[in-house]
Amino acid sequence: MGQITKIATTLTDAYIVEPAVYGDHRGFFMESYSEADFQKAGLDYHFVQDNHSLSTQPGVLRGLHFQRGQAAQTKLVRAVTGALLDVIVDLRKGSPTYGKWESFILSASNQRQLLVPKGFAHGFLTLTPDVHFLYKCDNYYDADADGGIAFDDPTLAVNWQLNGTKAILSEKDRHHPSFKEFESHNPFVYGEI
């Protein structure tokens, strides 16, 4: 029954994925993930872990996160309730889009998903209350490989669309290094992950 539409982003190897949605007066049905459909679309990943977060308020900012080395992860992310601004940054040295970012609105109403490749930093800002966020990962979480970059790094200059409001951050996310600090020991190389 399922099928997906794969839409290229401006960043190399990152895609918006739109599953087929079948709706009527009762609501809708969709296959949120089908390995066969993804393979037909040229997205050949084997996901091994599903994660689920809840952010109860608008303005919660989580990120920018990644995992290093053998623990690097490709993620397929989506909002199940509410809406958020999702941001990815290409960290792969030698990539045509190295150091560039792009943002996307993911919401329960648009049902879009974002495929975030290994070697990308990822984060999001909630735009509504009670955002349930799901992500599939092709590698297990490893606390020793956990890394991040400051969400407000001036070199990256991500437009989080905060419009003067203050982001609600975890203690960990308040202390990530700058992009320049990260660059001095960047483990990601385009074509090698």
Side-chain angles (χ1 to χ4, degrees), residues 28 30 73 83 88 108 133 158 164 174 178 183:
F28 73 88
M30 72 175 188
Q73 296 175 318
I88 56 174
F133 187 69
V158 173
R174 292 179 199 279
S178 70
E183 278 188 304

Side-chain angles (χ1 to χ4, degrees), residues 3-7 16-21 30-31 38 110-113:
Q3 60 183 338
I4 63 168
T5 302
K6 178 176 87 171
I7 303 167
I16 288 289
V17 176
E18 293 181 340
V21 179
M30 72 175 188
E31 290 179 2
F38 271 64
N110 72 20
Q111 297 166 331
R112 288 181 138 194
Q113 300 177 40

Side-chain angles (χ1 to χ4, degrees), residues 45 47 71-76 115-119 136-139:
Y45 299 96
F47 294 108
Q73 296 175 318
T74 295
K75 298 175 184 172
L76 180 64
L115 184 83
V116 183
K118 289 178 175 148
K136 302 181 94 48
C137 302
D138 73 345
N139 211 344

Side-chain angles (χ1 to χ4, degrees), residues 104-145:
F104 311 88
I105 300 293
L106 302 181
S107 68
S109 60
N110 72 20
Q111 297 166 331
R112 288 181 138 194
Q113 300 177 40
L114 177 63
L115 184 83
V116 183
K118 289 178 175 148
F120 276 64
H122 172 260
F124 65 85
L125 172 73
T126 59
L127 304 175
T128 62
D130 298 321
V131 174
H132 283 265
F133 187 69
L134 299 182
Y135 45 112
K136 302 181 94 48
C137 302
D138 73 345
N139 211 344
Y140 297 104
Y141 176 74
D142 180 347
D144 293 334

Side-chain angles (χ1 to χ4, degrees), residues 73-107:
Q73 296 175 318
T74 295
K75 298 175 184 172
L76 180 64
V77 302
R78 67 187 179 110
V80 177
T81 60
L84 56 91
L85 179 75
D86 201 278
V87 173
I88 56 174
V89 181
D90 189 346
L91 302 179
R92 303 166 303 166
K93 290 184 282 192
S95 165
T97 55
Y98 175 71
K100 301 207 180 314
W101 63 271
E102 190 170 2
S103 65
F104 311 88
I105 300 293
L106 302 181
S107 68

